Amino acid sequence: MKIVMLGAPGAGKGTQAKQIAAKYGVPHISTGDIFRANLKEGTELGLKAKVYMDQGQLVPDSLTLELIMDRFSKDDCRNGYVLDGFPRTIPQAEALTKALKDNNDRLDYAIDVDVPDENIINRMSGRRACAKCGGTFHIKYNPTKVEGICDLCGGELYIRNDDKPEIVQKRLVAYHEQTQPLIDYYRNEGILKTVDGTQDVDKVFEDIVAILEA
Ligand code: AP5
Ligand code: MG
Ligand code: ZN
C-alpha cells in the first residue's frame, strides 16, 4: 500500500496517517517529523530546515528529496508507506512519480483531507505534539488521558514553534501557492480521493478505510 496524504497544515494528515499506518502495518513517513527529529538532534539538515520552518516556508526541494529518497531505501518501506507532508510541490510529486516508475511501481491513492482555512487556526492553537513518537493531540478535540503526556508512548507533549497564529497564516499561504496544485496533479493521475476533514477524527478515519477497502 502506497498512499499520499494531502491537505492544508492542520487538516489532520498526521493524525490520520498514524492510524492508517498502524492498521495496515506500513510505516508513517512525515517529512515534517523527520526535520523536527533532526533539529532535536542538532544535525546539519535539522538546522538548515529550521530556518524555513520557523518562517512558515517550505524547505527547498533539493534538501527534502535527498532526505525522502534515503528514507525510501530503508527495509520497512518494502510493503509500502503512508506519506504525510510529502510531496508538497509539483517538482516533488514528479520526482516521486519518477522514482516509483523506475521500479515499475506506482501510488495507490492520494487522499485529500479537506478542511477550510477558517477551521485551521483554531486547530493549531490547541495542538500538542509528542517529541518522542510524533503523536499529535488537541487540548479540546483530541485530548490525552493525562494532560501534557502522550497517550501512545508516555512522552512529554510540546507546542510546535510554527503553530503561532502569524506563522500558521504563512503556512496557509505556502500551502495554497505550492501544495494545493497537487490536488489537480493527482486528479489527472486518476488516484485522487477526497474526505471531509471537518468531521470527527474517527469519522474521517472510517471514510479513509472505506476508500482503501473499496
Ligand atoms: P508538517 O509537519 O508536515 O506540517 P503541516 O503540513 O503544516 O501539517 P501539520 O503537521 O501542521 O498538520 P497535520 O495535517 O499533520 O494535522 P494534525 O494531524 O497534526 O511540516 C512542517 C514544516 O516542515 C513545513 O511548514 C515546511 O517548512 C517543512 N516541510 C515538511 N515537509 C516538507 C516538504 N515535503 N517540502 C518542503 N518543506 C517541508 O492535526 C492538527 C491538529 O488538529 C491536532 O491538534 C489534531 O489533534 C487536531 N485534529 C486532527 N484531526 C481533527 C479532526 N478531525 N477534528 C478536530 N481536530 C482534529
Ligand atoms: Mg503533521
Ligand atoms: Zn509519544
Side-chain angles (χ1 to χ4, degrees):
M1 170 185 293
K2 295 193 175 66
I3 302 174
V4 165
M5 303 299 292
L6 298 175
K13 300 181 295 295
T15 301
Q16 298 299 330
K18 267 218 160 344
Q19 293 195 42
I20 299 166
K23 183 173 169 79
Y24 296 100
V26 291
H28 163 216
I29 302 179
S30 156
T31 36
D33 285 352
I34 298 174
F35 287 136
R36 281 183 291 274
N38 270 274
L39 180 60
K40 205 171 155 225
E41 286 160 23
T43 70
E44 200 188 322
L45 172 75
L47 294 171
K48 275 188 194 161
K50 177 183 163 61
V51 178
Y52 301 93
M53 292 171 80
D54 282 354
Q55 295 301 318
Q57 293 170 354
L58 295 187
V59 176
D61 286 340
S62 56
L63 215 60
T64 307
L65 282 168
E66 193 183 321
L67 165 113
I68 198 88
M69 292 306 163
D70 174 65
R71 183 65 186 85
F72 287 156
S73 70
K74 300 280 189 302
D75 255 9
D76 65 339
C77 289
R78 235 175 320 162
N79 297 322
Y81 38 67
V82 185
L83 299 182
D84 159 17
F86 177 89
R88 235 182 168 94
T89 63
I90 293 286
Q92 289 182 17
E94 286 171 343
L96 174 61
T97 302
K98 181 175 182 306
L100 287 167
K101 214 171 181 177
D102 288 348
N103 285 313
N104 275 321
D105 206 350
R106 61 192 290 281
L107 290 171
D108 296 301
Y109 295 110
I111 299 176
D112 180 33
V113 183
D114 187 28
V115 176
D117 286 11
E118 39 296 6
N119 301 35
I120 297 292
I121 305 264
N122 223 345
R123 282 196 186 182
M124 301 307 221
S125 58
R127 169 161 56 187
R128 298 293 181 271
C130 174
K132 214 161 130 196
C133 78
T136 302
F137 304 91
H138 192 284
I139 50 172
K140 198 160 124 207
Y141 307 128
N142 188 15
T144 48
K145 294 194 184 78
V146 181
E147 198 187 316
I149 303 293
C150 176
D151 277 355
L152 304 174
C153 77
E156 220 173 290
L157 301 183
Y158 74 106
I159 299 176
R160 265 170 53 173
N161 240 347
D162 57 351
D163 277 349
K164 301 183 198 94
E166 66 274 21
I167 304 295
V168 172
Q169 285 294 359
K170 289 188 183 165
R171 287 162 63 199
L172 280 170
V173 171
Y175 168 74
H176 289 298
E177 282 177 1
Q178 292 168 278
T179 308
Q180 209 172 15
L182 296 185
I183 293 177
D184 279 336
Y185 178 90
Y186 286 116
R187 188 179 288 123
N188 289 335
E189 300 256 304
I191 59 167
L192 180 75
K193 300 282 176 186
T194 305
V195 294
D196 176 0
T198 63
Q199 310 174 97
D200 283 356
V201 172
D202 292 346
K203 181 64 173 75
V204 178
F205 185 59
E206 232 173 73
D207 287 0
I208 293 174
V209 170
I211 289 166
L212 299 179
E213 298 187 353

